[in-house]
Amino acid sequence: MQELVDSLVADGFVPGGLPLWVAYLGAMLVFGGIVVFVFILPIAGITTWVERRVAGRIQSRIGPNRTGPAGFLQWLADGIKSVLKEDIVPSAADVPLFKLAPYVVMTGFVAAFVVVPFGGPLIIADLNVGILYLTAVTALVVVGILMAGWASNNKWSLLGGIRSAAQIVSYEIPAGLSILPVVMLAGTLSMQGIIGHQGWAPWTWHVFDNPFTFFAFFILFVSALAEGNRTPFDLPEAESELVMGFATEYSGLRNLLFFMAEWGNLYVIGAVVTTLFLGGWQIPLALADHPVPRIVLQFAIFFAKAYFWVFVAVWLRWTLPRIRVDQMMIMCWKYLVPIAFVNFMGTAVWMVLFPAGVPAVRVLLSLTAAGLLVAFARRVVFHVRRALLTREELSFNPLSTARVMSRG
Amino acid sequence: MKFQYVPVLIAFGLGGLVAAVFVAAGMFLGPRRPSPVKEAAFECGNPPSGPAWGRFSVKFYLTAILFIVFDVEVVFMYPWAVLFRPLGVFGLVEMSVFVLVLTVGLVYVWRKGALEWD
């Protein structure tokens, strides 16, 4: 952000005589406000709509389609409904903690966006401890959830809260270990620095740098899903066993705050894997010379990459069943942690053996990924074709003679 | 560089502000008709059987302790990872020794059965 303000000052957009710190502070407040109210809150809402539409398609139904075009305004309607609901505080609850919990969750969630890049110079603050800061503030959500679960004085809430705490803290470890290979390769913790170390081409991305980072990427994504309480790891709020987990006693707006943070966190997950492994907002330099179209293009490419992973998370939620608590813990401690250790030590050995990297391996890995994507696309085309074919066959009913007659 | 962390403060403020605005809106726009039944803890329709604040499985404490040990180690590796390229082989050997010790710890915990959840 400071670089942007500096360039604005140099170009004469900022009135002279204004102290520099006022300009910085003003820019931060304006940009932070824009990010929160124009980006974060709508993106959390729109993701709920996307989720429900995708869930509808996956379960062979339509999903919300009444409010606005294709039900697009459903998220606003849900929000307004939440505003108009009664805000119930259980009489047995620990009231101050009960009321504080949504604030903690919300602050942790909004503070994560400080280091999330949006494209080019658009980042609220490029902290030099970027990714470490992000893991720290997203862990604040655990405190809020545990607080909510404990303060509700409800058995379901308490179970959901402690499950959530156990799950999130356990999956911190494979997530932290999977970030390490990227930090080693880039030699910095700053989000912009990590993106700057990669290029626009897939074979320059960290995910394809060596076989170990390839696996680290998937471990990070799985751990991030678990930290975001997403199915198959949504045990803290398992509807079929814990009613609504830690949020059972919350109604109206306070409930909305928890779920806004949850869906907003999906975008944070997408943005983090994009930044660390998938080249961030890098575009070919030749594409746009003028700063404005360049920033727009960078924003678009970053958003597309990040939102693709939001879509994958939604897709996983409606495809996989929820796992049991013991399976979740075993998966973390007995599989992901050892594999993550092997990954980061493997990357270290790889970097010592090949300080400049191995272009052949990079190209090979990106070709493998491209091949997987092509195979997947062919599968989708095959299924779409088959679905269309069946509809055609179904429309031909041998019993209805009228149709045959009209044809003949 | 002086202002690098000011946005963090601003973001915390904005997060709190968003939550406060939403809660206040609910307070003004939502109905407010409390009743003893409504304010009771939800237990699927049964009258609540005592407070929830009791003991829970010791497994969760074990997980918390393991987390503290391993997460501190992971945080310790970050500065090393930033400087890995300049450190080179020296850094690799040092970290191998450290990870070896950590692996012994993990194997010990594993063999002791602390990772079993029945």
Side-chain angles (χ1 to χ4, degrees):
Chain A
M1 205 57 215
Q2 271 185 321
E3 297 76 34
L4 196 68
V5 175
D6 283 337
S7 67
L8 285 178
V9 169
D11 293 346
F13 282 112
V14 178
L18 201 67
L20 209 53
W21 67 270
V22 176
Y24 283 147
L25 203 65
M28 280 162 188
L29 274 174
V30 169
F31 189 62
I34 289 174
V35 165
V36 170
F37 291 103
V38 183
F39 190 80
I40 301 182
L41 300 185
I43 207 72
I46 290 168
T47 306
T48 64
W49 171 75
V50 168
E51 166 129 37
R52 293 174 64 183
R53 289 293 287 188
V54 172
R57 287 293 161 194
I58 288 174
Q59 297 172 345
S60 296
R61 54 190 177 84
I62 299 169
N65 65 340
R66 291 280 156 182
T67 336
F72 179 73
L73 297 175
Q74 186 66 44
W75 61 279
L76 269 181
D78 287 343
I80 292 167
K81 188 193 82 173
S82 285
V83 178
L84 300 176
K85 289 286 175 189
E86 184 172 356
D87 178 22
I88 302 166
V89 178
S91 51
D94 183 335
V95 179
L97 271 187
F98 185 85
K99 290 188 171 172
L100 185 63
Y103 287 89
V104 176
V105 171
M106 208 56 201
T107 10
F109 157 63
V110 172
F113 276 89
V114 169
V115 292
V116 169
F118 292 95
L122 297 182
I123 181 167
I124 298 181
D126 185 22
L127 301 183
N128 53 7
V129 289
I131 185 67
L132 192 61
Y133 164 82
L134 199 127
T135 52
V137 287
T138 47
L140 207 58
V141 175
V142 196
V143 180
I145 287 177
L146 194 57
M147 221 182 239
W150 181 261
S152 295
N153 199 356
N154 176 314
K155 281 118 193 160
W156 305 127
S157 302
L158 182 63
L159 276 175
I162 54 175
R163 267 190 193 182
S164 168
Q167 169 179 332
I168 297 179
V169 300
S170 297
Y171 279 86
E172 284 272 350
I173 294 159
L177 285 172
S178 307
I179 293 168
L180 276 175
V182 172
V183 176
M184 279 150 62
L185 285 169
T188 174
L189 291 165
S190 129
M191 300 293 262
Q192 298 284 55
I194 290 170
I195 294 177
H197 188 256
Q198 307 169 74
W200 62 271
W203 54 87
T204 57
W205 294 352
H206 283 146
V207 61
F208 302 128
D209 187 81
N210 60 55
F212 301 105
T213 49
F214 193 68
F215 287 110
F217 167 73
F218 291 103
I219 291 183
L220 179 64
F221 187 64
V222 170
S223 317
L225 284 185
E227 285 190 54
N229 292 336
R230 293 291 300 182
T231 320
F233 308 104
D234 68 338
L235 299 137
E237 51 194 78
E239 306 95 326
S240 55
E241 35 189 299
L242 293 184
V243 188
M244 210 188 206
F246 59 86
T248 304
E249 292 292 354
Y250 283 87
S251 60
L253 259 305
R254 292 182 211 273
N255 197 324
L256 182 74
L257 288 172
F258 280 117
F259 287 93
M260 200 147 68
E262 184 183 331
W263 269 282
N265 266 330
L266 271 185
Y267 182 77
V268 177
I269 294 170
V272 168
V273 294
T274 306
T275 305
L276 295 181
F277 286 98
L278 301 173
W281 39 256
Q282 295 278 13
I283 54 164
L285 266 183
L287 228 57
D289 275 338
H290 194 268
V292 174
R294 189 173 65 224
I295 290 174
V296 169
L297 207 60
Q298 285 169 333
F299 176 79
I301 198 99
F302 186 85
F303 187 78
K305 283 178 190 171
Y307 217 76
F308 173 75
W309 292 101
V310 174
F311 172 74
V312 171
V314 169
W315 179 18
L316 284 177
R317 170 162 187 185
W318 297 102
T319 310
L320 298 178
R322 179 180 305 127
I323 62 177
R324 287 199 316 259
V325 184
D326 60 331
Q327 290 168 333
M328 176 193 78
M329 289 319 225
I330 284 170
M331 178 164 164
C332 176
W333 287 98
K334 293 193 177 173
Y335 293 89
L336 294 185
V337 169
I339 297 172
F341 266 117
V342 170
N343 274 338
F344 102 83
M345 283 318 283
T347 311
V349 172
W350 187 277
M351 282 173 68
V352 166
L353 289 182
F354 312 104
V358 188
V361 171
R362 286 163 173 267
V363 172
L364 203 69
L365 279 171
S366 21
L367 283 180
T368 314
L372 281 175
L373 278 179
V374 169
F376 172 68
R378 286 184 59 181
R379 194 84 192 140
V380 170
V381 169
F382 170 76
H383 276 287
V384 168
R385 278 222 184 113
R386 202 175 64 168
L388 291 176
L389 204 68
T390 340
R391 196 174 295 161
E392 184 77 4
E393 280 168 4
L394 284 175
S395 69
F396 174 70
N397 186 349
L399 292 178
S400 75
T401 47
R403 210 188 146 94
V404 179
M405 298 272 282
S406 69
R407 243 188 222 170
Chain B
M1 279 324 236
K2 236 187 336 186
F3 298 111
Q4 215 187 5
Y5 289 91
V6 174
V8 177
L9 277 180
I10 294 176
F12 273 75
L14 279 173
L17 183 76
V18 169
V21 164
F22 273 74
V23 170
M27 218 182 266
F28 285 118
L29 296 174
R32 195 141 198 82
R33 284 185 287 276
S35 74
V37 175
K38 212 186 263 177
E39 288 182 348
F42 178 76
E43 278 186 20
C44 305
N46 293 332
S49 58
W53 296 327
R55 295 185 292 179
F56 48 86
S57 174
V58 73
K59 306 273 184 208
F60 291 104
Y61 295 96
L62 261 181
T63 309
I65 291 167
L66 285 180
F67 159 73
I68 289 170
V69 174
F70 281 91
D71 206 53
V72 168
E73 309 310 348
V74 172
V75 170
F76 169 72
M77 288 168 190
Y78 274 83
W80 168 84
V82 172
L83 289 174
F84 179 66
R85 252 184 231 279
L87 289 176
V89 181
F90 170 71
L92 177 64
V93 172
E94 289 277 297
M95 192 42 77
S96 306
V97 173
F98 182 72
V99 168
L100 199 71
V101 174
L102 210 56
T103 314
V104 170
L106 186 64
V107 169
Y108 175 78
V109 168
W110 196 326
R111 293 292 292 277
K112 271 285 182 186
L115 304 180
E116 306 298 332
W117 276 63
D118 302 322

